[in-house]
């Protein structure tokens, strides 16, 4: 990961802490019914802005060419859509008998349902020199946790259409007409999404801190932190182990993409999705906490592992070249 990208990630993580502190200081500002009117400005305008921005920045032409890596995509899709959330669900059945806060455990399940990010996984993959990754639909969240939501499924579907699907499509349509201008000017799409996301996180915690009935269990939080780091390391090892089997035929560069894209989860897409599915839920912030922890954890672990993975990939590629017969 380059210095600029690393500094940007570190600054964003600091900003997350800052907005949570601000929410604690005066929660009435961003709470429901407060001056910011989050029931309108966040639920509709902010979430729509994030997905319009995603549609505007999404290079469909690159996705079309990336889809040629059918086998790689199939592996990541199965791992992300099936293995990851199912394994987390089975693990949570064991943890459900422990005194760990149940809403933090539900938050762990939401992490399993999240798609890979269109940022950190790609940045880390590029830092090593691997192939770029995959975008997985955020609607997976509804399959696993829709029944736990405080909002009826029909309302969730309607909200998704209005604030996610439509802005994304409009963003893609607009991109077709101003593509050349976007390529020349290179607008700061990442910065825009980050600012909007911070606003969503701020109002979410304003709602929490304005509710005196919610108690954050420090021990549960520490256990969740340990679980998240353990899950990430375990899943990164599993993806490495499976993708390096000779019978699958993945190149070292493919393995790098699989490691990062199969185990990283999107905060930018995840928080707005939780805001929709758990709209008005008093425990929304607790459900969001594991994802807020997972995001910096994946950046930290990824950054630490980049040199090792890069060294492995280079040595494997050299080995492959030496094994090729000379003509």
């Amino acid at each position: 990961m380059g210095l600029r990208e690393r500094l940007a990630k570190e600054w964003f993580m600091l900003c997350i802490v800052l907005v949570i502190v601000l929410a604690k200081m005066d929660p009435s500002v961003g709470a429901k019914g407060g001056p910011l009117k989050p029931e309108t400005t966040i639920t509709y305008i902010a979430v729509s802005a994030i997905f319009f921005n995603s549609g505007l920045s999404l290079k469909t032409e690159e996705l079309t060419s990336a889809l040629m890596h059918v086998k790689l995509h199939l592996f990541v899709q199965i791992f992300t859509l099936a293995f990851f959330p199912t394994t987390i669900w089975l693990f949570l059945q064991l943890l459900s008998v422990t005194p760990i806060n149940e809403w933090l455990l539900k938050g762990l399940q939401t992490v399993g349902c999240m798609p890979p990010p269109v940022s950190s996984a790609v940045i880390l993959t590029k830092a090593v020199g691997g192939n770029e990754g995959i975008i997985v639909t955020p609607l997976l969240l509804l399959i696993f946790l829709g029944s736990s939501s405080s909002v009826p499924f029909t309302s969730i579907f309607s909200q998704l259409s209005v604030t996610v699907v439509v802005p994304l499509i409009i963003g893609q349509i607009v991109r077709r007409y101003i593509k050349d201008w976007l390529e020349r000017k290179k607008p700061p799409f990442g910065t825009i999404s980050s600012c909007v996301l911070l606003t969503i996180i701020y109002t979410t915690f304003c709602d929490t801190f304005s509710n005196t009935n919610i108690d954050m269990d420090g021990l549960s939080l520490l256990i969740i932190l340990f679980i998240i780091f353990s899950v990430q390391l375990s899943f990164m090892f599993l993806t490495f182990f499976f993708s390096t089997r000779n019978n699958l035929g993945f190149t070292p560069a493919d393995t790098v993409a699989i490691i990062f894209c199969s185990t990283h989860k999107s905060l930018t897409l995840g928080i707005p999705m939780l805001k929709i599915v758990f709209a008005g839920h008093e425990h929304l912030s607790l459900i969001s906490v594991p994802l807020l922890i997972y995001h910096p954890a994946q950046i930290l672990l990824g950054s630490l592992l980049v040199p090792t993975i890069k060294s492995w990939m280079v040595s494997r590629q050299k080995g492959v070249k030496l094994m090729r017969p000379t003509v």
Side-chain angles (χ1 to χ4, degrees), residues 38-299:
E39 56 272 23
T40 301
T41 57
I42 299 300
T43 304
Y44 292 97
I45 299 175
V47 175
S48 297
I50 279 185
F51 286 98
F52 173 76
N53 188 59
S54 295
L56 204 58
S57 61
L58 195 60
K59 297 181 179 180
T60 315
E61 59 275 12
E62 290 186 4
L63 288 176
T64 304
S65 101
L67 286 173
M68 297 303 292
H69 298 280
V70 177
K71 188 164 56 175
L72 184 148
H73 283 266
L74 185 60
F75 183 100
V76 175
Q77 293 279 1
I78 292 173
F79 194 93
T80 306
L81 295 173
F83 183 83
F84 201 126
T86 303
T87 303
I88 293 294
W89 182 83
L90 291 171
F91 183 50
L92 292 183
Q93 302 313 299
L94 299 175
L95 293 180
S96 62
V97 298
T98 68
I100 301 175
N101 186 290
E102 66 169 311
W103 297 105
L104 289 177
L105 292 180
K106 286 183 183 292
L108 272 180
Q109 184 64 72
T110 67
V111 169
C113 294
M114 290 299 146
V118 194
S119 53
S120 60
V122 174
I123 289 170
L124 288 166
T125 300
K126 282 183 174 180
V128 178
N131 298 331
E132 290 190 17
I134 296 87
I135 296 173
V136 182
T137 174
L139 291 177
L140 177 65
L141 184 62
L142 294 179
I143 299 174
F144 280 84
L145 286 170
S147 59
S148 301
S149 170
S150 58
V151 182
F153 181 79
T154 52
S155 297
I156 293 172
F157 185 79
S158 174
Q159 183 81 354
L160 281 171
S161 300
V162 172
T163 60
V164 177
V165 180
V166 172
L168 195 64
I169 293 174
I170 291 175
Q172 278 285 279
I173 293 172
V174 172
R175 177 180 172 80
R176 292 184 63 182
Y177 292 97
I178 61 172
K179 178 183 171 183
D180 293 338
W181 181 84
L182 291 174
E183 293 297 330
R184 287 198 311 273
K185 298 296 183 181
K186 299 187 183 303
F189 293 116
T191 303
I192 294 169
S193 289
S194 294
C195 291
V196 178
L197 183 59
L198 288 170
T199 306
I200 296 174
I201 294 171
Y202 170 72
T203 58
T204 298
F205 278 86
C206 280
D207 275 333
T208 296
F209 294 133
S210 64
N211 187 343
T212 56
N213 296 323
I214 295 179
D215 181 33
M216 180 72 79
D217 181 4
L219 180 59
S220 292
L221 200 57
L222 286 174
I223 295 173
I224 292 295
L225 182 64
F226 174 76
I227 290 172
I228 285 173
F229 273 93
S230 300
V231 165
Q232 285 198 45
L233 282 172
S234 300
F235 281 8
M236 290 179 84
F237 172 77
L238 281 175
T239 53
F240 175 80
F241 176 78
F242 288 125
S243 62
T244 52
R245 299 305 90 192
N246 291 333
N247 57 326
L248 291 179
F250 288 123
T251 66
D254 290 337
T255 295
V256 171
I258 287 171
I259 290 172
F260 289 125
C261 295
S262 298
T263 59
H264 279 212
K265 297 294 183 177
S266 175
L267 183 68
T268 306
L269 298 178
I271 293 296
M273 292 301 302
L274 291 179
K275 196 77 175 177
I276 293 171
V277 176
F278 294 96
H281 202 296
E282 64 175 352
H283 294 100
L284 172 59
S285 61
L286 290 181
I287 296 171
S288 306
V289 164
L291 185 58
L292 290 172
I293 295 174
Y294 197 97
H295 179 74
Q298 70 188 12
I299 301 300

